[in-house]
Amino acid sequence: MSEHESTYVPKTGVEKWLDTRLPIIRFGADYMSLPTPRNLNYWWTFGGILALCLMTQIVTGIVLAMHYTPNVDLAFASVERIMRDVNGGWLIRYVHANGASMFFIAVYLHMLRGLYYGSYKAPREMIWIIGCVIFFLMIATAFLGYVLPWGQMSFWGAEVITNLIGAIPVLGEPILIWLRGGPAIDNATLNRFFSLHYLLPFAILGCVVLHLWALHAAGQNNPVGILIPKDRAKKDMLPFHPYFTVKDGFAIILFLILFAIFVFYQPNALGHADNYIPANPLQTPAHIVPEWYMLPFYAILRAVPDKFGGVVAMFGAIGVLFVLPWLDTSKVRSMRYRPTMRTFFIIFLVVGVGLGWCGGQLPDAPVIGSFKTFTLIDGDLNSYLWLTRVFTLYYFAFFLIIMPLIGLKEQPLPIPATISEPVLTGADAVEQKG
Amino acid sequence: MAESVVHTQDTHSPEGGDPNRRDFIHIAAGAAAVGAGVMIAWPLINQMNPAADTLALASIEFDLTKVQEGQQVVIKWQGKPVFVRYRTPAELQRVIADDNASDLKEPQTDAERTKPGHEKYLVVVGSCTHLGCVPTFGAGDYGGWFCPCHGSHYDASGRIRKGPAPLNLVVPDYEFASDTRVKIG
């Protein structure tokens, strides 16, 4: 917390000399001794995992850039050269490609943890908002990176996504040409996408510094969701190091096992086979799908019959997260003590996964069996189109209607005064039953 | 520093009196800084617009004898596919009959989309007006094209008939250099 006093004592002469000129060791030491609520569970380990993911992507990315050629005639071959000829290139590329997926697995769990335990509520709004900025930058970076191998999915993904901007009334077309650097996706586009793909991770890094700064100022949330009273700080808090560095370390090991399973045994499971066909501007693949982590938003895009409306809905789905702290009217942070809200949260999880599933299907395909029911407006009721629309409706209703309303109406369970209380008096059993 | 603050308070009342010379200098300096910022930003933004060599590829010529009746040839123009289609009399009859069909989202007659005397040739940009996929020749419900991405159906005049695409396939600027040659762009 911000009021925690510095306990660092410079020992050697060099440290003393440095401490009066650039107290960087003090800064690091203070950050490592940050008082941390002792009841943090494993859902709190994804912050450290995400830091590792970002560093992995930056390091492998810089190495890959030493061998990659951002030119429409050479890009695909240069990636194949990395895979076949560059020493250990296959490993570095597979780590980078699967690393993006791992990054998104971790960020989604990290965000859902924040959502469940109310980590976005006062006084932590800025941590959440900066986190949303990071998420948005991650999506942009991942999209730009997926274009670089210049396979069929790269090219047509870029075509479809940049066309979304063309949907903006009046200004869409000039902006589209400006963004692509020509009338179509071509060398100019690939070149600038490479430049921006190299840039954005450092923008993310800068936002991560702000994210941690805000976290340092407001202090960590915890599974009980209460602000820890000052007089309890000694009893209910532990220094971040070694207690939570060790806990995070263990979680990182488990996460790296999952990461390694993909890299070494299923390196292409999360990709698409069509991206091993060189880009062909004259032929569209039969079924264009984005990477799995974009599927829910892609589904929302397709749920709206109007082209521009779809774009607005897709960006709105991310935009709504930014104002989340002001949409939630409940004073109680943790959903442990909000049984009604927890039910809606679980439905939200199912809907989120459902949207991802729908995003990977053809909109006209039937959901159950292969029969037709009846046509509602512009599609058969037994189609992914309508399932997607139902899910999309819930997605927005969850944030815009359910969250403000439940906060006002619900009767939360009694909230413990300290984070030790549920453990010591056994009131935690309430959660087990609930 | 403290002196200048005192000095500012002396000459400029916090309640907001008339703007004095110092205010004018502040506003003018601020405006100049903003102007300079825009002037610096513009070349950095404008460099992303199409370069001269990209714009120089703006037109191509095509020999129409390469297209057989009932078929199309796909050529690349400005990085985009262009369909040159030699339509059969039956196809022509069908699209002209549909000129006033009620399901046209962007009503256009076939004559508006072709050159007089050369109606059998249709030249359109082969990018679906929805999200830019290349529609498949000879598929779909209207004898024209079908876009595999999101299911838009076009007729043999390239007009959108069904599906999410909002507009007809774009007819590029082109002219007949001779009876068998077109210049696109």
Side-chain angles (χ1 to χ4, degrees), chain A residues 156 163 178 192 284 298 307, chain B residues 45 48 129-132 134 150:
Chain A
W156 291 99
N163 256 310
W178 172 75
R192 64 191 54 184
T284 309
Y298 190 59
K307 187 173 157 185
Chain B
I45 294 167
M48 280 175 69
T129 55
H130 182 224
L131 292 173
V134 180
H150 304 94

Side-chain angles (χ1 to χ4, degrees), chain A residues 149-169:
Chain A
W150 212 241
Q152 273 288 68
M153 279 295 161
S154 299
F155 182 89
W156 291 99
E159 176 78 33
V160 167
I161 300 298
T162 51
N163 256 310
L164 296 179
I165 292 146
I168 299 168

